[in-house]
């Protein structure tokens, strides 16, 4: 990211500065595509480049603080033990019902990913699920895929109410928070079916011939350590009811009351505190849980600020509208549906250097949103292209910290994961993404 900052600083001395006129349309700022004028260049100096980092943090402050607030609330929820207890309960309850276990577990992790943006926090469940799947006659890949593909490739990518990809991207694109939910629900359903079938066919193949399995650092005869008599406590059950009510109120609030990131962050904090009280946490433990959860978000939050720094430099150097002008010129002869696919491909590969969903949104959406206006692509479709490109590549790029950490926990090599298992799944996801982007542009996926 710092190298990108240096590059764009140098480009302020090379590329011409341009300026479009902005006009107000339906309460939002849009680019007048016929108004570009090249103006005097304003190159960014060395000291200004470093000063822009602070300016970028200020520009991204509202989103950064929302990420910290949400992470802290999630930390309190996790400190209650209710989420861990629920996963263990489901694993024990359905551990002998193999045909139900895979779709049910994938649904649980997909729900965590699509509703609250679970990613790193899902790693703790790998050590629980992998031994269980091996004990049932499957392999480590089956358990690992249930957690990672369920959370990231099904849930996080579809982002029904995911605050880290869709929430950030829509706020930057000036879209109503969590608008366009219907198509994302359909996207979740398709990805869910694809993921369940892909894992299920692999699991049944290993069941028939265990020699075909990949067991990582676990032995084939190893059994899970779960207590077969495990039951959820009443405290944990009550805390999970509060979490369910939280999501019902969230959906109602954003649809009917126009809630935005402040209200959403406040709702999660309130729910976390109530769950903490029900879970028997002392005020000190809740505070520690909040600090721990917020601490887990430091990397992603800082990336948002650094991404905003790049935008600050591009804007200060007068390059934003120049980039829009030349980018629009490259694709203006293409049908809008193809333009949307082009956006998706750009986001797909950009995720290699910006593996954070919220960071990538902060970097690209200030450019992609007005570019969508110029190309006749709806801003909602541009957000969809972003979330698909960001989510799919998380399954294959070695810069994805969640993927590498999860593989390390399961003891599965990155090479085996990519070459021998996940690559065909990736191609299926790309095909589904392209179909949904064509549908989105054909229906003028909106509200705008």
């Amino acid at each position: 990211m710092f190298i990108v900052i240096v590059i764009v600083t140098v480009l302020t001395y090379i590329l011409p500065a341009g300026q479009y006129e902005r006009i107000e349309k339906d309460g939002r700022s849009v680019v007048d595509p016929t108004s570009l004028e090249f103006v005097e260049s304003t190159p960014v100096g060395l000291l200004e480049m470093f000063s822009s980092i602070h300016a970028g943090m200020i520009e991204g402050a509202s989103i950064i603080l929302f990420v910290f607030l949400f992470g802290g609330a999630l930390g309190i929820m996790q400190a209650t033990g209710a989420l861990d207890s629920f996963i263990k309960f489901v694993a024990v309850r359905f551990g002998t019902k193999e045909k139900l276990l895979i779709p049910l577990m994938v649904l649980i992790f997909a729900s965590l990913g699509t509703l609250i943006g679970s990613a790193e926090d899902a790693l703790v469940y790998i050590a629980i699920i992998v031994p269980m799947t091996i004990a049932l006659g499957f392999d480590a890949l089956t358990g690992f895929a249930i957690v990672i593909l369920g959370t990231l490739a099904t849930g996080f990518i579809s982002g029904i109410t995911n605050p880290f990809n869709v929430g950030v991207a829509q706020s930057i694109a000036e879209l109503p928070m969590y608008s366009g939910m219907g198509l994302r629900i359909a996207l979740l359903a398709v990805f869910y079916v694809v993921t369940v079938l892909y894992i299920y066919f692999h699991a049944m193949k290993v069941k028939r011939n265990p020699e075909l399995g990949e067991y990582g650092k676990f032995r084939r005869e190893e059994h899970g350590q779960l207590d077969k008599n495990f039951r959820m406590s009443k405290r944990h059950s009550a805390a999970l009811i509060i979490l369910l009510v939280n999501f019902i109120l969230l959906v109602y609030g954003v649809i009917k009351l126009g809630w935005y990131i402040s209200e959403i962050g406040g709702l999660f904090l309130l729910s976390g505190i109530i769950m903490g009280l029900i879970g028997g946490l002392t005020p000190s433990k809740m505070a520690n849980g909040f600090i721990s959860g917020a601490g887990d978000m430091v990397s992603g939050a800082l990336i948002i600020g650094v991404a905003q720094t790049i935008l600050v430099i591009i804007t200060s150097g007068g390059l934003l509208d120049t980039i829009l002008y030349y980018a629009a010129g490259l694709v203006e002869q293409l049908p809008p549906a193809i333009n949307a696919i082009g956006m998706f491909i750009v986001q797909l590969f950009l995720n290699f250097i910006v593996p954070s969903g919220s960071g990538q949104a902060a970097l690209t959406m200030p450019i992609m949103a007005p570019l969508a206006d110029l190309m006749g692509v709806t801003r909602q479709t541009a957000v969809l292209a972003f979330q698909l490109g960001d989510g799919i590549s998380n399954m294959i790029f070695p810069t994805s910290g969640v993927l590498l950490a999860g593989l390390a926990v399961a003891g599965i090599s990155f090479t085996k994961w990519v070459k021998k298992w996940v690559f065909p799944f990736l191609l299926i996801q790309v095909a589904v993404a392209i179909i949904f982007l064509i549908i989105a542009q054909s229906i003028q996926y909106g509200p705008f």
Side-chain angles (χ1 to χ4, degrees):
M1 294 292 285
F2 182 74
I3 290 173
V4 175
I5 289 176
V6 174
I7 290 173
V8 296
T9 301
V10 172
L11 287 177
T12 62
Y13 290 87
I14 299 173
L15 296 180
Q19 186 174 355
Y20 278 113
E21 287 186 12
R22 261 70 173 179
I23 57 177
E24 289 294 320
K25 182 179 180 180
D26 299 327
R28 57 193 172 92
S29 175
V30 299
V31 172
D32 179 356
T34 64
S35 64
L36 182 85
E37 292 183 359
F38 288 106
V39 297
E40 184 179 353
S41 295
T42 54
V44 175
L46 180 63
L47 180 59
E48 187 181 355
M49 181 185 78
F50 282 94
S51 301
S52 295
I53 295 176
H54 179 257
M57 295 292 177
I58 294 174
E59 287 291 325
S62 62
I63 300 174
I64 290 171
L65 294 176
F66 170 69
V67 168
F68 278 133
L69 188 64
F70 181 85
L74 190 60
I76 298 174
M77 295 177 185
Q78 290 175 325
T80 66
L83 294 177
D84 288 340
S85 181
F86 180 61
I87 295 295
K88 290 178 182 177
F89 169 75
V90 172
V92 170
R93 178 70 176 80
F94 294 90
T96 58
K97 298 175 176 148
E98 301 166 1
K99 292 184 178 180
L100 289 177
L101 180 68
I102 291 176
L104 180 61
M105 295 301 291
V106 171
L107 179 61
I108 291 172
F109 287 110
S111 298
L112 292 174
T114 198
L115 295 176
I116 63 175
S118 288
E120 290 87 350
D121 47 302
L123 295 173
V124 299
Y125 303 120
I126 293 175
I128 299 173
I129 302 301
V130 168
M132 181 192 69
T133 56
I134 293 176
L136 292 173
F138 305 136
D139 64 348
L141 260 177
T142 301
F144 176 77
I146 286 174
V147 178
I148 293 297
L149 295 190
T151 305
L152 298 182
T154 304
F156 194 96
I157 187 176
S158 56
I160 293 176
T161 57
N162 184 341
F164 301 117
N165 60 358
V166 171
V168 173
Q170 286 186 333
S171 65
I172 294 173
E174 300 179 306
L175 287 160
M177 183 66 88
Y178 299 138
S179 57
M181 194 178 293
L183 189 65
R184 294 200 301 280
I185 292 174
L187 182 68
L188 171 67
V190 173
F191 276 142
Y192 171 73
V193 172
V194 169
T195 300
V196 168
L197 291 177
Y198 196 83
I199 297 174
Y200 185 82
F201 287 142
H202 169 79
M204 292 302 109
K205 181 177 67 176
V206 173
K207 186 83 169 180
R208 292 190 297 268
N209 185 0
E211 297 298 326
L212 298 176
E214 171 59 45
Y215 298 91
K217 66 181 181 182
F218 299 89
R219 298 188 306 274
R220 188 192 310 172
E221 64 275 10
E222 185 173 353
H223 291 268
Q225 303 301 314
L226 294 177
D227 180 4
K228 300 300 182 182
N229 297 317
F230 177 82
R231 295 289 184 274
M232 287 182 62
S233 69
K234 292 182 179 179
R235 284 182 178 269
H236 288 163
S237 298
L240 289 172
I241 292 174
I242 296 299
L243 185 59
L244 177 62
V245 172
N246 171 86
F247 288 119
I248 295 173
L249 290 175
L250 185 150
V251 172
Y252 177 81
V254 298
I255 293 176
K256 296 293 186 181
L257 305 178
W259 284 0
Y260 204 50
I261 55 177
S262 294
E263 292 84 359
I264 294 171
L267 176 64
F268 269 98
L269 180 59
L270 175 61
S271 299
I273 292 173
I274 295 174
M275 288 178 65
L277 292 173
I278 293 174
L281 298 182
T282 64
S284 293
K285 287 184 178 180
M286 280 192 278
N288 289 334
F290 183 91
I291 292 171
S292 176
D296 291 339
M297 304 297 169
V298 168
S299 177
L302 289 177
I303 286 175
I304 293 173
V306 174
Q308 287 293 316
T309 300
I310 296 170
L311 182 64
V312 166
I313 294 174
I314 289 175
T315 304
S316 297
L319 299 185
L320 179 60
D321 288 355
T322 301
I323 293 171
L324 289 174
Y325 175 75
Y326 287 115
L330 288 174
V331 295
E332 64 182 358
Q333 303 301 321
L334 299 175
I338 303 299
N339 290 339
I341 294 170
M343 287 182 169
F344 160 67
I345 293 173
V346 169
Q347 299 282 13
L348 187 73
F349 287 100
L350 189 61
N351 197 43
F352 182 84
I353 59 173
V354 191
S356 164
S358 52
Q360 189 174 337
L363 174 63
T364 62
M365 288 315 300
I367 295 175
M368 289 298 182
L371 183 60
D373 295 336
L374 292 174
M375 296 189 305
V377 175
T378 66
R379 290 192 176 192
Q380 194 75 270
T381 302
V383 171
L384 181 64
F386 148 72
Q387 71 184 83
L388 289 170
D390 166 66
I392 289 176
S393 50
N394 281 329
M395 293 298 96
I396 196 169
F397 283 160
T399 50
S400 172
V402 178
L403 174 62
L404 294 187
L407 289 171
V409 172
I412 300 170
S413 76
F414 175 78
T415 302
K416 287 182 179 179
W417 168 254
V418 174
K419 288 187 176 180
K420 295 186 177 181
W421 205 80
V422 82
F423 193 72
F425 178 80
L426 182 80
L427 296 179
I428 296 171
Q429 280 202 308
V430 169
V432 172
I434 290 174
I435 292 171
F436 267 84
L437 286 169
I438 293 174
I439 292 172
Q441 194 52 29
S442 67
I443 64 173
Q444 288 294 292
Y445 183 37
F448 51 82

